[in-house]
Amino acid sequence: MESLKTPFIGIIKDVKGRSACYEEDWVGALCSGIRILAPTTYIFFASALPVVAFGEQLSTETDGTLGTVETLASTAICGIIHSIFGGQPLLIVGVAEPTIIMYTYLYNFTKGRPELGQKLYLAWAAWVCVWTALLLCLLAIFNACNVISRFTRVAGELFGMLITVLFIQEAIKGLASEFSIPKAEDNKLEKFQFPWLYTNGLLAIIFSFGVLFTALKTRDARTWRYGTGWLRGFIADYGVPLMVLLWTALSYSVPHKVPSGVPRRLFSSLPWEPESLYHWTVVKDMGKVPAEYIFAAIVPAVMIAGLYFFDHSVASQMAQQKEFNLKKPSAYHYDMLLLGIMTLICGLLGLPPSNGVLPQSPMHTKSLAVLKRQLIRKKMVKSAKECILQQASNSEIYGRMQAVFIEMDASPTPNSVDKELEHLKEAVMKGNDGGDAKENFDPDKHIDPCLPVRVNEQRISNLLQSFFVGLSVCALPVIKMIPTSVLWGYFAYMAIDSLPGNQFWERILLLFITPGLRYKVLESVHVSFVELVPFNVILTFTLLQFFYLLLCFGVTWIPIAGILFPLPFFLLISIRQHILPKVFHPDHLRVLDAAEYEEIARATERNRSLCWDREQPESGCHGNEDDFYDAEILDEMTTHRGELKLRSNVSFKEDRHKQVHPEYTRADQGQ
């Protein structure tokens, strides 16, 4: 209630905090030079491909009223606005799957109303955006973002799992549609008879599963034993768009005897065609919407505002996790206000709005952490080698490296630097065998594992990737060459790739492990709840979450009322606060709904540290030979949804092992 009595206080605080470092946001990127293009290109492909896929989905659901042109344009416009005026420039915005779902419901509603029809669909959607923008601005003004801490792991992972299920559903529906005649075609034409449908469908299966399989393989390229670190890193970062290009090229190698139009390709109007020009002037038709429907637009606006508030806040939260050690303040309230303004702009331009997206936002931060780490490491190694050549003392070697770190990091608190570089100081002062550090300390080998995570917080990479997305609109004649089946495979890839790191999914898999084999979980890196929570509690908690997922998914199937699908997630906040604590022990609930993703090292490796503060394997430690070693380390430290892991090497009490291997208990009782 206190936040309601002090409106604007959150926005004012955010503006003061971010304005103090606004100039540094631009200057910081210049220090990286041309290397800033690496994370820029990486996040561009990660943003553009889903937007193209969502555009095709939206075109199918709205009978071509909206499509790839509109989703790309919205992502580019909002991305440029946010990168320049946004509070947190690490946050990536774009058209996401929830927006596609909501706009599909709006289209189905207007299509069934003679007073609106397809002609006034975008005009009525614009009114929905007006109300949504107003609600988002009110949420920002009255400091509603203070409740972000209540978005716990239960709600976030349940929402992520729902999006995964919707991705899989869309991939299956799209693949099934390859065996039917396109909507825009005449089903009486001879070429669309059984041979065409059968050939197109079979090729669609080949291309879809081909993209899915190869994309999943390239995603884990950094774990390969083959090739140099640079090659593995390149394949891991750009393998997915390369696989889309590869399978698109293969689609042009089909035999000439295959019926024309096979395989089916993207259908989208070009930016300069009349179909794509209408929505820019949709504001002229807003006055034609009947008054009762203008006020009725408040209902879907409430749902969309709540959905954006949840989705945007979680994406922003993931982009600035505390483990990333960001130095600049957050700006949740101000960014929510800006989201309301961007939603209004998109609505008046007839575009689907954009909001913060996952996993692109934490992926962006992670890519910039790799860049910053490489720059700091390179300069620290150089200074250490110079000191060793000059036969400097141990203290002088460490002092020079500390000075370089402070210069590159611009840390305002030297005490925190001493704490963060504590393990590096130990390595320099003691050496490996207790001898002279100049003889035992190897800068190439020992600096890397001792460096804390650092992020190059700047605005250039976000601005450039948004600009590249805008240029993609002009490249639509090339984008239309992609087979639709390739996109269905990409949808399936996005669904499967989002599962690792989702503890809800990992608990589901645990339920299918037979009791006699559960002890094997301890022999690999495992999530902490396996040892801290009894199995029957894990079972009950997972089943409750699973049935709630079915409820949320079932709501999306309700014809018009499906627009209420965000409602269960708002109710979940209250359920988590008031009901779950009465069902589960507080300690168990705290572990199952932990703020951090915590892992425990495998049982056979607990005597060997897997933390950053120990020596890493020699292979790959020489940064001059393997520039992507930093990326490999960060890949090991993050889940696929971009969440940083906490890695522990100490097991809990041995009697905890009995809960994953009940035979131990029975054996003890027998004795």
Side-chain angles (χ1 to χ4, degrees):
M1 293 299 294
E2 288 297 324
S3 59
L4 296 177
K5 299 177 182 179
T6 55
F8 292 101
I9 188 68
I11 297 175
I12 294 173
K13 183 179 179 181
D14 289 344
V15 170
K16 288 182 178 179
R18 293 303 307 194
S19 60
C21 52
Y22 187 78
E23 181 180 353
E24 175 61 26
D25 287 342
W26 296 102
V27 176
L30 301 178
C31 299
S32 306
I34 197 171
R35 299 185 72 169
I36 196 67
L37 293 178
T40 298
T41 308
Y42 170 64
I43 204 63
F44 160 68
F45 282 117
S47 299
L49 274 179
V51 171
V52 171
F54 294 147
E56 175 65 18
Q57 179 185 353
L58 188 60
S59 177
T60 302
E61 300 292 347
T62 63
D63 297 324
T65 305
L66 292 171
T68 306
V69 173
E70 289 74 26
T71 55
L72 286 172
S74 172
T75 301
I77 292 173
C78 293
I80 291 173
I81 292 175
H82 183 81
S83 62
I84 297 175
F85 302 105
Q88 180 48 264
L90 299 178
L91 178 66
I92 300 295
V93 298
V95 176
E97 177 69 11
T99 300
I100 305 301
I101 296 173
M102 301 301 283
Y103 261 63
T104 299
Y105 286 131
L106 296 180
Y107 179 75
N108 292 332
F109 178 82
T110 56
K111 190 170 62 172
R113 300 294 184 279
E115 304 89 339
L116 297 174
Q118 185 177 1
K119 185 177 180 181
L120 291 179
Y121 161 56
L122 291 180
W124 189 63
W127 280 112
V128 174
C129 288
V130 170
W131 290 115
T132 302
L134 177 62
L135 292 172
L136 290 173
C137 291
L138 289 175
L139 289 172
I141 291 171
F142 289 99
N143 313 305
C145 292
N146 290 334
V147 304
I148 287 175
S149 59
R150 298 182 184 179
F151 293 155
T152 61
R153 176 176 294 278
V154 170
E157 293 194 336
L158 195 63
F159 183 77
M161 186 63 76
L162 176 63
I163 298 302
T164 296
V165 173
L166 293 174
F167 276 155
I168 294 176
Q169 173 186 266
E170 190 60 32
I172 294 174
K173 287 170 57 179
L175 197 56
S177 69
E178 297 293 336
F179 288 89
S180 61
I181 300 171
K183 289 183 179 181
E185 301 292 348
D186 184 3
N187 58 6
K188 296 181 180 179
L189 294 178
E190 184 177 355
K191 70 174 185 176
F192 291 129
Q193 301 310 307
F194 178 77
W196 190 95
L197 299 176
Y198 186 74
T199 306
N200 186 73
L202 288 182
L203 283 176
I205 292 175
I206 294 173
F207 290 140
S208 297
F209 281 91
V211 169
L212 173 61
F213 179 77
T214 55
L216 288 173
K217 286 295 183 182
T218 58
R219 176 68 174 81
D220 297 325
R222 287 196 178 96
T223 63
W224 294 355
R225 300 178 181 179
Y226 314 104
T228 63
W230 180 90
L231 180 61
R232 294 195 305 269
F234 180 81
I235 294 175
D237 290 340
Y238 304 106
V240 176
L242 286 176
M243 291 305 103
V244 171
L245 292 177
L246 173 64
W247 286 96
T248 299
L250 288 175
S251 70
Y252 283 92
S253 64
V254 296
H256 294 293
K257 293 184 179 180
V258 170
S260 62
V262 175
R264 185 184 304 167
R265 304 187 187 277
L266 290 180
F267 177 80
S268 175
S269 57
L270 298 176
W272 46 85
E273 292 179 347
E275 295 84 351
S276 298
L277 296 177
Y278 162 71
H279 65 79
W280 297 108
T281 58
V282 71
V283 68
K284 296 189 300 184
D285 291 335
M286 292 179 65
K288 300 178 183 178
V289 177
E292 60 270 23
Y293 286 102
I294 293 177
F295 290 101
I298 298 177
V299 176
V302 170
M303 293 297 105
I304 296 176
L307 178 66
Y308 281 5
F309 178 78
F310 177 83
D311 206 12
H312 196 76
S313 299
V314 171
S316 182
Q317 199 174 36
M318 292 287 287
Q320 45 192 332
Q321 302 166 61
K322 65 178 182 180
E323 290 83 5
F324 278 130
N325 294 322
L326 300 184
K327 298 299 182 183
K328 298 175 183 178
S330 60
Y332 290 109
H333 306 278
Y334 172 73
D335 280 344
M336 193 59 59
L337 177 67
L338 186 63
L339 177 63
I341 296 173
M342 292 190 299
T343 301
L344 177 63
I345 293 173
C346 288
L348 297 180
L349 294 178
L351 302 173
S354 295
N355 65 286
V357 290
L358 288 171
Q360 290 91 331
S361 295
M363 285 168 60
H364 182 217
T365 308
K366 174 186 166 184
S367 65
L368 292 171
V370 174
L371 174 65
K372 183 76 172 185
R373 184 180 171 86
Q374 289 173 351
L375 295 174
I376 294 177
R377 181 193 182 282
K378 183 177 181 180
K379 197 163 184 178
M380 288 180 70
V381 169
K382 181 181 178 182
S383 65
K385 287 182 176 180
E386 289 176 353
C387 288
I388 292 175
L389 290 176
Q390 296 170 5
Q391 297 185 343
S393 65
N394 302 345
S395 299
E396 289 174 335
I397 294 175
Y398 173 72
R400 283 283 298 275
M401 290 192 295
Q402 184 189 47
V404 169
F405 183 83
I406 294 175
E407 176 190 354
M408 297 286 290
D409 188 48
S411 177
T413 55
N415 291 335
S416 65
V417 173
D418 290 335
K419 184 177 180 180
E420 289 177 319
L421 297 181
E422 178 182 357
H423 299 294
L424 177 62
K425 185 176 182 178
E426 291 178 2
V428 176
M429 303 303 290
K430 292 193 300 184
N432 293 336
D433 301 314
D436 186 20
K438 297 187 290 295
E439 298 177 3
N440 295 287
F441 176 69
D442 184 352
D444 287 321
K445 182 177 179 181
H446 293 102
I447 289 179
D448 226 354
C450 298
L451 278 181
V453 178
R454 281 295 180 267
V455 177
N456 188 12
E457 302 177 59
Q458 41 73 48
R459 297 177 180 269
I460 294 293
S461 59
N462 199 345
L463 177 63
L464 288 179
Q465 74 88 18
S466 301
F467 181 71
F468 291 156
V469 172
L471 291 180
S472 300
V473 177
C474 302
L476 269 178
V478 178
I479 295 176
K480 290 175 65 175
M481 299 169 68
I482 301 175
T484 53
S485 54
V486 168
L487 291 186
W488 310 140
Y490 182 72
F491 269 115
Y493 161 76
M494 286 194 293
I496 295 175
D497 189 59
S498 66
L499 292 176
N502 188 316
Q503 290 191 4
F504 179 27
W505 171 250
E506 292 171 355
R507 280 187 274 109
I508 291 176
L509 294 180
L510 183 63
L511 301 185
F512 288 94
I513 301 177
T514 57
L517 295 177
R518 286 183 196 138
Y519 73 95
K520 289 184 175 292
V521 175
L522 301 176
E523 296 181 355
S524 61
V525 177
H526 53 279
V527 187
S528 59
F529 65 76
V530 175
E531 295 189 22
L532 288 171
V533 183
F535 182 77
N536 62 330
V537 177
I538 296 175
L539 173 63
T540 304
F541 189 84
T542 304
L543 290 178
L544 287 176
Q545 204 170 358
F546 179 74
F547 286 121
Y548 204 86
L549 172 66
L550 293 181
L551 171 66
C552 297
F553 181 64
V555 172
T556 65
W557 280 79
I558 302 175
I560 298 300
I563 201 169
L564 301 175
F565 87 92
L567 188 60
F569 293 99
F570 307 144
L571 296 177
L572 190 60
I573 297 176
S574 180
I575 293 173
R576 170 61 180 88
Q577 284 188 313
H578 303 293
I579 298 179
L580 291 184
K582 298 178 181 179
V583 179
F584 299 97
H585 191 280
D587 292 338
H588 297 157
L589 190 59
R590 191 178 302 113
V591 174
L592 292 171
D593 195 25
E596 295 88 9
Y597 184 99
E598 183 175 359
E599 284 188 340
I600 302 174
R602 66 183 67 182
T604 57
E605 291 188 357
R606 283 178 183 143
N607 293 330
R608 291 188 297 136
S609 176
L610 295 178
C611 294
W612 284 74
D613 57 350
R614 301 296 182 196
E615 179 180 324
Q616 298 289 332
E618 291 188 6
S619 59
C621 286
H622 301 287
N624 294 337
E625 300 175 5
D626 197 342
D627 285 341
F628 273 83
Y629 181 61
D630 295 331
E632 292 178 5
I633 293 176
L634 284 172
D635 254 15
E636 286 294 319
M637 291 188 64
T638 54
T639 66
H640 284 206
R641 68 196 293 257
E643 184 178 12
L644 279 162
K645 304 174 184 177
L646 297 181
R647 181 67 62 84
S648 172
N649 306 292
V650 181
S651 176
F652 300 97
K653 295 181 180 179
E654 290 301 319
D655 57 6
R656 297 288 189 182
H657 296 185
K658 299 174 183 178
Q659 64 196 39
V660 293
H661 195 353
E663 279 70 12
Y664 289 164
T665 305
R666 291 196 291 269
D668 292 342
Q669 292 174 350
Q671 294 176 356

